[in-house]
Amino acid sequence: NYTDPNQLIDQYSADSYRLLLISSPVLAGEDFALLDKDVSDTARKISMIWNVYDFFATYANVDNFDPRDTSLTDDSTKTADLSKLKNPLDIWIVSRVHMLRDEITEGMEEYNLPKATAGILPFVDDLSNWFVRRSRRRFWKSEDSADKNEAYATLYYVMLYLSKIIAPFAPFMAEELYHNLTGLTGDSDSVHLLDWPEAGEVDVEIVEKMSHTRDIISEGLALRM
């Protein structure tokens, strides 16, 4: 009464199948109906990570962006220093990925995988449908080269950090994303051999204001409809 898992993996990827199952009620010992559509939906949602990467790579190659030229990280924690960021969108998305890391850590420490994975897809939606869309013009020809460089550095940092924290749940995607971003290809250069990222700084005020802003926009769009 369900499709052969091998067929679903071949069609939608092992990462999609894995992420769906470990975020399902099965982990709590409850019933779960495995539907092809659910695997397809999960695949579509996590594929947005590749959309973001393709967007970044396209413009970064045109502008010859080198992440080594602009470091956002604090030397002590190896996480982004928010004081180096000026644009509220950058502060927000970095705070969000740090929050996701904390949520995953808390869920994993409780051996609660559905809780650990609950925030992954909502974050991917935030990254693709809010940060990239609102920042798109910053990556085009711009008179403010400093802001453009900050946008590149922020998106690079967030994707690299994301590859590390989704590695336990989407191992194949995480590995490929990590290699693509770092250019490292050796057997010893695996995202799965890295230490778990340190907790990063979160600007709670910016996160709350952005959430409020999005609520207002959502209500406005609903009224327009």
Side-chain angles (χ1 to χ4, degrees), residues 157-173:
Y157 171 83
V158 168
M159 287 193 297
L160 187 59
Y161 195 90
L162 180 64
S163 72
K164 299 173 185 177
I165 61 178
I166 66 169
F169 316 109
F172 300 103
M173 170 178 280

Side-chain angles (χ1 to χ4, degrees), residues 31-57:
D31 293 336
F32 174 66
L34 176 61
L35 304 177
D36 293 12
K37 180 181 181 300
D38 291 340
V39 185
S40 174
D41 288 344
T42 303
R44 176 179 53 81
K45 290 174 182 176
I46 66 172
S47 71
M48 288 193 291
I49 295 176
W50 288 126
N51 295 339
V52 173
Y53 172 77
D54 289 341
F55 172 84
F56 168 81

